[in-house]
Amino acid sequence: MNRLPPELHIVHGTKAEHKGKPLPETVRMRVPKADWLDHPDSWDRDEFIKETSEFLWETYGIGSNQDKHILAALANQLEIYIKCMKGVESGGIITKFNNGQTIGPNPFLTAGDKALARAVVLMNELGLTPRGRLATNKQEGGKYQKLLSGP
């Protein structure tokens, strides 16, 4: 790849070589805080699925009937994560075992971490993370794509 030093971008200008599509105006807003972050009991799986499917439709035009399964799995993993974080909040990060004889990390913390990791994988698959959105904008064929695409 022929990359210019930052100083030369001023002289030559900067051009996007990937020709990515901008996100719709309604999507390019600042990311709001999730309601359930402060109030975990307000988590609504059905509302999450509705909001996410609307986002996928508006952003990518994705509305496949088969995508409902991966979206349901994502909602399930987020629900597990939220329940685990409620358990960590009530029991603390470090907890006692064996009638107080030993201490260690709260099992909810480990389960929550695993659920969150699975959720991020599913979010990448659906293009719901910046990394996932970049992957959907990659062109097949590399540097010859422009030539192969024709006039």
Side-chain angles (χ1 to χ4, degrees), residues 77-90:
Q77 290 302 312
L78 284 175
E79 188 162 342
I80 291 169
Y81 171 74
I82 292 166
K83 287 179 180 178
C84 288
M85 290 304 103
K86 284 171 57 176
V88 168
E89 192 174 300
S90 66

Side-chain angles (χ1 to χ4, degrees), residues 48-75:
F48 171 79
I49 290 172
K50 179 183 169 198
E51 288 176 1
T52 306
S53 66
E54 286 176 12
F55 173 84
L56 291 170
W57 177 255
E58 291 174 7
T59 307
Y60 304 114
I62 296 175
S64 169
N65 193 37
Q66 285 301 312
D67 289 333
K68 68 183 177 187
H69 303 293
I70 195 164
L71 188 53
L74 173 59

